[in-house]
Amino acid sequence: TAWPKSRRMKMSWLSVWWHLWLGMFYPGAHVYLQSENEEKSNELIERAGFIYNHIPDEAFPRPKLKNGKVLYCHIGFPKLYSFLQGVPQGANQLRGPTASAVMLDEAAFWEHGRASFAATKPCTEGGGRVTVISSAQNGWFKDLVMDSID
């Protein structure tokens, strides 16, 4: 899916929650949160950690985190063989690993946005999910949202 957003919609937070949910409840989920650079990707992982740490204990049982904490660019659920990994933009970032889901945040503004999106094709061909969200911007993202991309 591709979601255009305004800056105040909190779509990044909502999308992080969707992807955290996949990691928490789907055994073997390999979830990648991709942003412009590694630091911004880590911010997405930190958001996932914030959400995880603020789920009330009485809401539902939470799977245990690897090492009991969120690591830099990584949240792991070892008993489920699932994880969330933060990666920077670029077509080669996801070359090799098999992804269950990939989230591209603010992708319209990336220098290598189109190539990063194209690199997710093996994920979708294998049954995985790709979520692209960004503030409005002319270019490849607008073409994707309007279904006019080649």
Side-chain angles (χ1 to χ4, degrees), residues 60-82:
F60 51 80
R62 293 181 293 174
K64 299 290 183 211
L65 291 174
K66 184 175 184 179
N67 301 322
K69 60 184 175 182
V70 175
L71 304 174
Y72 185 80
C73 283
H74 187 83
I75 295 177
F77 302 102
K79 290 187 178 179
L80 292 172
Y81 302 101
S82 298

Side-chain angles (χ1 to χ4, degrees), residues 76-95:
F77 302 102
K79 290 187 178 179
L80 292 172
Y81 302 101
S82 298
F83 64 83
L84 280 74
Q85 181 73 42
V87 294
Q89 69 168 311
N92 292 329
Q93 298 300 326
L94 296 175
R95 190 177 309 275

